[in-house]
Amino acid sequence: MKKLMSVAVAMMVGLSVTACSNSPKGDGTVATVNGQKITVSEYETTLALYKQSVEAMYGKNVWDTEVEKGVKYRDKFKENILDQMINVEVVYEQAKKDNLLPTKEEVDKKYNELKKNIDSDKEYKKDMEKIGANDEFLRTQQEQDLAVQNYKEHFDKTIKISDEEMKKYYEDHKKDYYKDEVKASHILVSTQDKNGKPLSDEKKKEAKKKAEDLLKRAKSGEEFSELAKENSDDPGSAAQGGDLGYFSKGMMVPEFEKAAFNLKPGEISDIVESSFGYHIIKVTDKVNEQTPYNDVKDSIKTILLNEKFTEQVTKLTKEAKIEKNKDVLDKIKI
């Protein structure tokens, strides 16, 4: 559920979320931020933009998933998107006070690049028009996105993160910097057809027989990478001789993970069955070590800066005068 919930919250930097406008467009107001309006049309268009991404990842039935007792994902999604639009407007206002707004030329450049990308894809352009992402919406989006980026960059330059803070974070999160990884290759004999449907019992028996024959050849000393290139049904790794690179726990299906982490470098597994089919796994390396502080201190600094930025946005939002129009919000459907 945590992963599902996070999809509803756009990152402050990197993903644009259109917030407020002085124009009277739209048939109502969903919220005001220090007197600035977030109109129904702006809100609905933003919802529609992110709705496409959510459905692409989780399917169209995701909206009725219960994420909290008595709360469906659709309602939490609506709430989170509006809160994010409010946050963007609050940061935009602060950027304006601090003389950090982008120039017209900068906005024009980013807007023209976006328009060029949209115009080059007819289907995408049609989708954007369908949800109401017109030129005004897109331009406002780019302007506010640049303003937020400017404010974040300025914030990062002015906030000092001490070495003591970074070392404390490292000690408090030491387990996050412990490497427990396996480097492995595999040969997959699939038990699914091209449409992802399970094979018949007879075809599955044939697949297992093929896997057993390949296992004998691999354990008798034939080159594993060549066997994978010629026989593996995993298109993502077959061309690389079955090489999957390094992976940690939680990245592979349970059956595959258990077998791989129980092997020593150079060992080949027996046949491992998963929902994808029959796997033959060869472990080529294992890493089990604590990553030194000096190797991760730059990433820790970025984490701490982002945490402080989030605290700053929360502070600015608490200080702002915000009014939500619940009656209007309740009528908006996903």
Side-chain angles (χ1 to χ4, degrees):
M1 284 301 100
K2 236 181 219 183
K3 187 176 179 183
L4 184 61
M5 289 295 296
S6 67
V7 176
V9 184
M11 293 293 291
M12 289 296 290
V13 177
L15 289 177
S16 308
V17 179
T18 296
C20 307
S21 169
N22 286 316
S23 68
K25 73 169 189 171
D27 53 350
T29 302
V30 292
T32 58
V33 182
N34 294 328
Q36 293 284 78
K37 295 179 180 179
I38 300 179
T39 68
V40 169
S41 62
E42 290 165 334
Y43 180 56
E44 287 183 327
T45 300
T46 304
L47 282 175
L49 269 175
Y50 290 96
K51 178 186 175 185
Q52 292 176 339
S53 299
V54 170
E55 289 184 349
M57 283 192 282
Y58 297 105
K60 293 185 178 181
N61 295 326
V62 68
W63 305 108
D64 290 321
T65 303
E66 191 172 74
V67 291
E68 295 173 14
K69 192 171 181 180
V71 180
K72 291 184 177 179
Y73 181 62
R74 68 173 72 251
D75 299 315
K76 202 66 178 177
F77 178 80
K78 284 173 58 180
E79 178 187 331
N80 285 342
I81 290 295
L82 180 58
D83 286 343
Q84 193 62 28
M85 293 175 77
I86 289 169
N87 288 345
V88 170
E89 175 59 24
V90 166
V91 174
Y92 180 84
E93 287 186 5
Q94 190 60 45
K96 188 175 183 179
K97 290 177 185 176
D98 296 342
N99 294 317
L100 295 170
L101 292 185
T103 64
K104 182 179 179 301
E105 290 73 24
E106 288 171 334
V107 176
D108 286 344
K109 182 181 178 183
K110 193 164 189 213
Y111 168 73
N112 290 333
E113 287 172 355
L114 177 65
K115 280 287 289 179
K116 185 178 178 180
N117 288 332
I118 292 173
D119 291 343
S120 66
D121 187 332
K122 291 182 180 179
E123 284 300 314
Y124 184 53
K125 183 178 181 181
K126 189 177 179 181
D127 288 341
M128 295 292 276
E129 290 171 351
K130 186 178 179 181
I131 65 173
N134 58 24
D135 289 350
E136 181 185 357
F137 177 92
L138 295 172
R139 186 176 179 82
T140 301
Q141 188 185 50
Q142 301 314 300
E143 181 182 2
Q144 293 193 326
D145 185 46
L146 286 169
V148 170
Q149 287 183 39
N150 289 349
Y151 183 75
K152 177 67 164 62
E153 288 171 6
H154 177 74
F155 180 87
D156 287 353
K157 289 176 183 176
T158 55
I159 295 297
K160 303 298 180 186
I161 304 293
S162 68
D163 204 47
E164 289 71 25
E165 285 179 279
M166 291 189 285
K167 284 180 179 176
K168 183 179 184 306
Y169 184 92
Y170 176 77
E171 291 299 325
D172 291 345
H173 300 82
K174 215 164 185 178
K175 64 179 183 180
D176 296 337
Y177 298 102
Y178 189 85
K179 278 189 178 180
D180 186 9
E181 297 179 336
V182 165
K183 186 174 190 287
S185 299
H186 83 139
I187 300 167
L188 171 67
V189 180
S190 180
T191 54
Q192 298 177 349
D193 63 19
K194 292 180 180 179
N195 298 315
K197 294 181 179 179
L199 296 177
S200 66
D201 289 344
E202 185 179 345
K203 290 285 186 184
K204 193 173 178 182
K205 283 181 183 178
E206 291 176 10
K208 188 170 185 181
K209 178 67 170 58
K210 180 181 177 181
E212 288 170 343
D213 291 341
L214 287 168
L215 178 63
K216 287 179 184 176
R217 293 171 64 185
K219 289 201 170 185
S220 68
E222 285 195 48
E223 182 61 42
F224 194 92
S225 61
E226 290 302 317
L227 286 174
K229 283 180 184 178
E230 294 170 8
N231 300 281
S232 181
D233 292 326
D234 176 12
S237 67
Q240 284 73 46
D243 186 13
L244 296 166
Y246 287 93
F247 54 88
S248 55
K249 289 181 179 178
M251 293 177 68
M252 300 294 182
V253 290
E255 305 90 344
F256 190 100
E257 176 187 293
K258 184 179 178 181
F261 276 87
N262 282 335
L263 292 170
K264 295 176 183 177
E267 285 186 335
I268 296 172
S269 72
D270 291 326
I271 291 171
V272 177
E273 184 177 359
S274 77
S275 58
F276 296 101
Y278 300 112
H279 306 264
I280 302 166
I281 307 166
K282 181 177 181 179
V283 167
T284 52
D285 191 22
K286 293 185 97 167
V287 178
N288 199 277
E289 62 184 18
Q290 184 70 42
T291 305
Y293 166 72
N294 284 334
D295 290 355
V296 295
K297 68 178 184 178
D298 288 343
S299 65
I300 289 174
K301 183 178 181 180
T302 299
I303 290 169
L304 292 175
L305 282 171
N306 287 339
E307 285 182 355
K308 289 180 183 291
F309 181 68
T310 299
E311 290 169 6
Q312 173 68 0
V313 174
T314 301
K315 176 177 175 290
L316 292 173
T317 303
K318 283 181 178 178
E319 293 171 353
K321 184 180 178 181
I322 297 164
E323 296 177 6
K324 296 180 182 179
N325 193 334
K326 191 173 184 305
D327 290 339
V328 173
L329 285 167
D330 288 343
K331 292 176 184 177
I332 295 172
K333 305 297 180 185
I334 293 181

